[in-house]
Amino acid sequence: MEFPLAPGEVEATDVDKAWHGIHFMLTGTAWEGAPPLNFLMHGGAVIGDVEVGYGPARGMTAAEVKAVACALAGIDEAFMRARFDPAQMTQLDIYPGIWDRDPAEDDSFGYCMEYFGELRTFVTRAAERGAGLIISLT
């Protein structure tokens, strides 16, 4: 994801492969969910028709970013932990398919939470600056 700073400059973030796990925990679904928490998969409008991974890039307006930032502000670790369901995530084939690993050896919840924190901070900064976002999932 990225948003403009000044002409010719952008700020970007990358949530690695955690995007699908984060989407699942925010929406309770593999691919759908209700706005504004479904923004990773469905936020904004499609930009062109070039596949950049999981579909074309999408652009979100400043108003849409503000709505997402407000929704994310109310999401805490307890909310995310309550929605973290490794068995269901494995059954739904949530990318990257690490959910059935032994938590003592691979903290997949912690992995998602680390990137969720970065994502929430990024979206909040964009909203504070009145910026839109461009989202691409790879």
Side-chain angles (χ1 to χ4, degrees), residues 5-133:
L5 294 172
E9 295 181 4
V10 297
E11 184 171 335
T13 194
D14 182 354
V15 294
D16 196 50
K17 296 176 182 179
W19 59 267
H20 204 186
I22 292 168
H23 170 82
F24 175 81
M25 288 186 279
L26 289 175
T27 68
T29 73
W31 298 100
E32 298 303 322
L37 292 179
N38 71 344
F39 74 103
L40 285 172
M41 300 284 206
H42 299 287
V46 171
I47 301 171
D49 59 3
V50 176
E51 292 287 322
V52 293
Y54 287 84
R58 288 172 285 108
M60 294 178 66
T61 67
E64 291 169 326
V65 172
K66 188 173 213 77
V68 171
C70 288
L72 293 179
I75 305 293
D76 61 10
E77 185 173 339
F79 175 94
M80 297 294 271
R81 188 167 294 283
R83 298 256 185 130
F84 183 71
D85 184 340
Q88 186 176 18
M89 293 166 84
T90 299
Q91 180 182 358
L92 293 173
D93 200 25
I94 302 296
Y95 182 75
I98 60 172
W99 317 113
D100 58 355
R101 295 182 182 168
D102 181 350
E105 295 175 16
D106 187 2
D107 183 12
S108 53
F109 176 76
Y111 168 72
C112 286
M113 285 306 297
E114 175 183 344
Y115 283 106
F116 173 71
E118 291 179 25
L119 176 64
R120 181 174 46 201
T121 298
F122 182 80
V123 171
T124 299
R125 278 197 320 266
E128 288 168 350
R129 291 180 175 157
L133 289 177

